[in-house]
Amino acid sequence: MSEPREIAERLLDAQVEFLLAEVSGERFSEVVVRDVESVIGVADTLVFRDIVGVDQAKETVRTVIDLIGGSPVIADMVGVFADSIYDHIAANNDYTLGQVVEREPVEALLEKIFGMHQAQERILERLTESPLVATVASKFVDKLISDFMEANKQIAGKIPGVSSLISMGQSAAKTAKKATESTFIGDMAGKGAVFALKRTNNAIREMLRDAPVHDAAMEFWDLHADEPVSGLRDYLTQKDLNELVLLCYEIAVTTREKEYFGLLVDECVDVFFTKYGDYTLAAMLPELGLSGDDIAKEILRYGPAVIEGAKRNGVLGKLIRERLEPFYTSDVVLAILGEATS
């Protein structure tokens, strides 16, 4: 009669072989489909709110954002991805911009932007509060006038007697401009710049509301829609794209560290729980666009190669044995086997 420990060893060997066979060849597909179906069946009895607490979810989301968002892989690859995308775009003449991006959503987006009157009003109001913006606007207008006068001077130069009149007018304008630099007149000129900026804002406001800006923007889109995607590189160099992507990444990384961002994340989790908290885990899968077949398909996409590799080098069998051996060599099992063989 075999000793209990010897029987336990034989049982352990048999179960290890059985489990290895479960994940081998065609049997693995059957096991995956079976187990996924069983897991979903269990998930259909579990309500999301009862399994996951709101505070737990908030902590998990924060952890994922913190660890993945700041991971060395993303930090190292973001610039490389930008360069690779630029190279691909630069070499790709097979697709047009219109084939990649549908016209309808672009038109709807532009229509929405031009229709956001409240945002436009607020932006224009804040612009008038900035003295620097008023100064820039004043210099811009001054530049336009100067260019206009110079153009007229060149035209008038071809007409006898008129060029001297233009020169006198320019001289008087320069004298008046110099007098405004540090006097009461200069202060009035500054206020005039603000007033001019407000008038400019009114013109912008009316243009956005009444002029066919939307149609003009769509015409600009249509001009590019039939051009190859590679044409986008005419707008920026590879260095420009790389630096822009890195700057955006830096903004995202530094923003996620702020307390306010954490409050936004918490609010999103609260909203999610309000909407989906009473769903079962299985019922949430369709809401995520997933099904049991999708899950099984993805497992079968990568699982066989991983498992076959682990079987080939003996790691899988060793791991299974290490997990099961404590059970088979436990005093309870050996006692049961001893009673069975006595």
Side-chain angles (χ1 to χ4, degrees):
M1 185 70 67
S2 301
E3 294 292 329
R5 181 168 292 278
E6 181 183 345
I7 298 174
E9 290 289 344
R10 290 167 57 191
L11 288 173
L12 175 59
D13 291 339
Q15 187 165 11
V16 170
E17 291 300 320
F18 174 79
L19 292 176
L20 287 174
E22 287 277 273
V23 294
S24 299
E26 295 181 0
R27 178 61 180 154
F28 179 67
S29 299
E30 298 174 6
V31 170
V32 169
V33 172
R34 179 201 67 193
D35 290 350
V36 168
E37 185 177 334
S38 298
V39 170
I40 292 178
V42 173
D44 202 28
T45 66
L46 303 174
V47 176
F48 182 73
R49 192 188 303 276
D50 295 338
I51 302 302
V52 182
V54 176
D55 293 336
Q56 291 176 315
K58 290 178 180 178
E59 189 64 30
T60 297
V61 173
R62 285 182 177 231
T63 300
V64 170
I65 293 174
D66 182 59
L67 295 181
I68 297 180
S71 66
V73 171
I74 295 181
D76 291 340
M77 294 302 295
V78 64
V80 177
F81 286 151
D83 291 339
S84 178
I85 290 172
Y86 189 92
D87 289 337
H88 180 68
I89 290 175
N92 195 317
N93 294 305
D94 297 331
Y95 299 94
T96 64
L97 186 59
Q99 290 175 322
V100 177
V101 182
E102 295 290 337
R103 189 181 193 276
E104 288 74 13
V106 173
E107 186 173 14
L109 174 62
L110 290 174
E111 185 174 352
K112 180 60 180 178
I113 292 174
F114 291 128
M116 296 171 61
H117 300 310
Q118 180 177 342
Q120 295 164 9
E121 293 283 349
R122 184 55 178 161
I123 292 172
L124 293 174
E125 287 176 5
R126 294 310 298 264
L127 284 175
T128 59
E129 297 172 6
S130 171
L132 182 58
V133 173
T135 301
V136 171
S138 177
K139 290 183 177 181
F140 176 71
V141 173
D142 182 64
K143 176 64 175 173
L144 288 178
I145 294 174
S146 297
D147 289 347
F148 177 75
M149 293 180 66
E150 181 63 28
N152 284 341
K153 180 182 177 182
Q154 293 178 6
I155 295 173
K158 301 177 181 179
I159 304 175
V162 177
S163 59
S164 59
L165 293 176
I166 294 292
S167 297
M168 290 176 61
Q170 285 183 321
S171 178
K174 291 178 180 178
T175 302
K177 181 179 179 181
K178 184 176 181 181
T180 63
E181 291 180 352
S182 59
T183 63
F184 171 74
I185 299 177
D187 294 336
M188 292 299 293
K191 293 179 181 179
V194 175
F195 176 74
L197 179 60
K198 290 183 179 180
R199 293 296 299 271
T200 302
N201 286 346
N202 289 335
I204 294 174
R205 184 183 296 109
E206 294 302 321
M207 180 190 69
L208 290 174
R209 294 195 176 190
D210 300 330
V213 180
H214 175 268
D215 293 340
M218 288 309 303
E219 186 174 286
F220 177 81
W221 167 263
D222 291 335
L223 288 174
H224 292 76
D226 294 330
E227 295 182 359
V229 175
S230 59
L232 294 175
R233 65 192 177 109
D234 294 337
Y235 288 91
L236 74 170
T237 65
Q238 186 171 30
K239 181 180 179 183
D240 290 333
L241 178 62
N242 185 284
E243 291 178 350
L244 282 172
V245 170
L246 289 176
L247 288 171
C248 291
Y249 172 73
E250 184 64 21
I251 291 174
V253 169
T254 54
T255 300
R256 90 190 201 290
E257 299 172 352
K258 301 297 187 293
E259 181 179 356
Y260 182 73
F261 183 78
L263 296 177
L264 293 177
V265 171
D266 290 347
E267 180 63 21
C268 291
V269 173
D270 287 333
V271 171
F272 182 87
F273 266 78
T274 300
K275 183 172 178 62
Y276 296 107
D278 295 325
Y279 280 57
T280 65
L281 297 180
M284 285 188 63
L285 290 177
E287 298 297 320
L288 296 172
L290 296 173
S291 66
D293 290 339
D294 295 326
I295 296 173
K297 185 183 298 182
E298 293 306 313
I299 294 175
L300 291 173
R301 189 190 305 276
Y302 303 103
V306 174
I307 290 176
E308 286 303 318
K311 281 180 59 180
R312 202 162 42 245
N313 59 25
V315 172
L316 183 59
K318 180 181 178 183
L319 288 175
I320 293 175
R321 179 175 295 275
E322 288 177 351
R323 298 299 183 273
L324 296 177
E325 189 172 16
F327 168 77
Y328 283 101
T329 58
S330 65
D331 293 337
V332 174
V333 172
L334 292 178
I336 293 173
L337 293 175
E339 292 174 1
T341 58
S342 61

